[in-house]
């Protein structure tokens, strides 16, 4: 097990362990080299029981809602470097692998989402994990910040594309 300082990555890893899903945690200290270029590290290689195996980059995010009476907004931004890295890993690993983001949301105790989402408890906090495949993300992504080189999905697109991680891994 790689030592994880990021609680989102640690929570997702503990989820994989608790579900007895085979995985490899990638040590992110060094970037990988391929064809004279470095590739942004991914976080996990996950072996699915059926379907393609997954190359995962975990993105820790929060649910944004000013109060419980308003609709929820799920942050889902990524950098262009994140997108390019996952695409390169998918090409390198070949047809038996699919790259994607796992958006790991730490939800507050009083969140309305706690009754709507499938949650995982880790170190006293509640998390929801959603996968968006990189090819699907790319098709719908929109620019967020040119200076930061970030992109995002509109909420409707995110709701359409996101899949609960357990539905994909244990399908």
């Amino acid at each position: 097990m790689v030592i994880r300082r990021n609680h989102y990555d640690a929570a997702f890893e503990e989820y994989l362990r608790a579900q007895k899903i085979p995985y490899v945690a990638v040590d992110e200290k060094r970037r990988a080299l391929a064809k004279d270029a470095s590739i942004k590290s991914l976080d996990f290689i996950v072996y699915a029981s059926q379907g393609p195996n997954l190359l995962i980059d975990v993105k820790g995010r929060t649910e944004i809602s000013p109060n419980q009476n308003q609709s929820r907004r799920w942050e889902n931004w990524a950098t262009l470097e994140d997108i390019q890295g996952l695409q390169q890993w998918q090409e390198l690993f070949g047809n038996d692998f699919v790259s994607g983001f796992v958006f790991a949301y730490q939800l507050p105790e009083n969140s309305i989402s706690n009754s709507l989402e499938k949650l995982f408890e880790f170190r006293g906090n509640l998390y929801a994990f959603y996968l968006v495949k990189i090819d699907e993300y790319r098709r719908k992504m929109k620019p967020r910040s040119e200076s930061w080189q970030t992109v995002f999905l509109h909420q409707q697109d995110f709701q359409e594309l996101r899949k609960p991680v357990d539905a994909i891994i244990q399908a």
Side-chain angles (χ1 to χ4, degrees), residues 20 39 44 64 72 77 99 105 113 128 133 135 137 140 146 148 167:
K20 297 181 176 30
I39 302 174
F44 297 96
I64 296 177
R72 298 167 292 147
W77 61 271
S99 288
Y105 295 95
S113 299
K133 295 176 183 174
D135 293 336
Y137 192 99
K140 300 271 184 156
E146 191 172 317
W148 289 93

Side-chain angles (χ1 to χ4, degrees), residues 49-155:
S49 59
Q50 297 178 359
N53 299 306
L54 302 171
L55 305 167
I56 300 295
D57 186 1
V58 175
K59 295 294 175 202
R61 301 288 183 254
T62 57
E63 170 196 45
I64 296 177
S65 176
N67 66 54
Q68 295 302 316
N69 298 325
Q70 294 185 353
S71 64
R72 298 167 292 147
R73 194 174 102 225
W74 301 90
E75 286 286 342
N76 60 62
W77 61 271
T79 67
L80 291 174
E81 183 184 34
D82 294 333
I83 306 284
Q84 293 163 348
L86 282 177
Q87 282 190 291
Q88 288 174 303
W89 285 117
Q90 186 170 279
E91 290 169 12
L92 285 170
F93 273 77
N95 293 336
D96 292 337
F97 290 83
V98 170
S99 288
F101 293 117
V102 166
F103 289 97
Y105 295 95
Q106 181 184 7
L107 303 175
E109 274 186 39
N110 62 351
S111 172
I112 191 172
S113 299
N114 294 352
S115 61
L116 303 174
E117 312 299 328
K118 182 167 181 171
L119 303 178
F120 179 73
E121 187 174 349
F122 176 68
R123 297 182 185 160
N125 295 305
L126 297 174
Y127 293 84
F129 302 115
Y130 293 99
L131 176 79
V132 178
K133 295 176 183 174
I134 194 64
D135 293 336
E136 294 173 354
Y137 192 99
R138 281 201 69 213
R139 277 194 286 278
K140 300 271 184 156
M141 69 185 188
K142 304 291 182 211
R144 181 176 191 241
S145 169
E146 191 172 317
S147 61
W148 289 93
Q149 295 289 294
T150 56
V151 293
F152 76 107
L153 297 175
H154 287 294
Q155 290 298 293

Side-chain angles (χ1 to χ4, degrees), residues 31-60:
R31 295 178 75 123
L33 292 176
K35 296 184 183 176
D36 301 327
S38 72
I39 302 174
K40 184 180 181 297
S41 294
L42 48 93
D43 296 311
F44 297 96
I45 302 167
V46 179
Y47 295 92
S49 59
Q50 297 178 359
N53 299 306
L54 302 171
L55 305 167
I56 300 295
D57 186 1
V58 175
K59 295 294 175 202

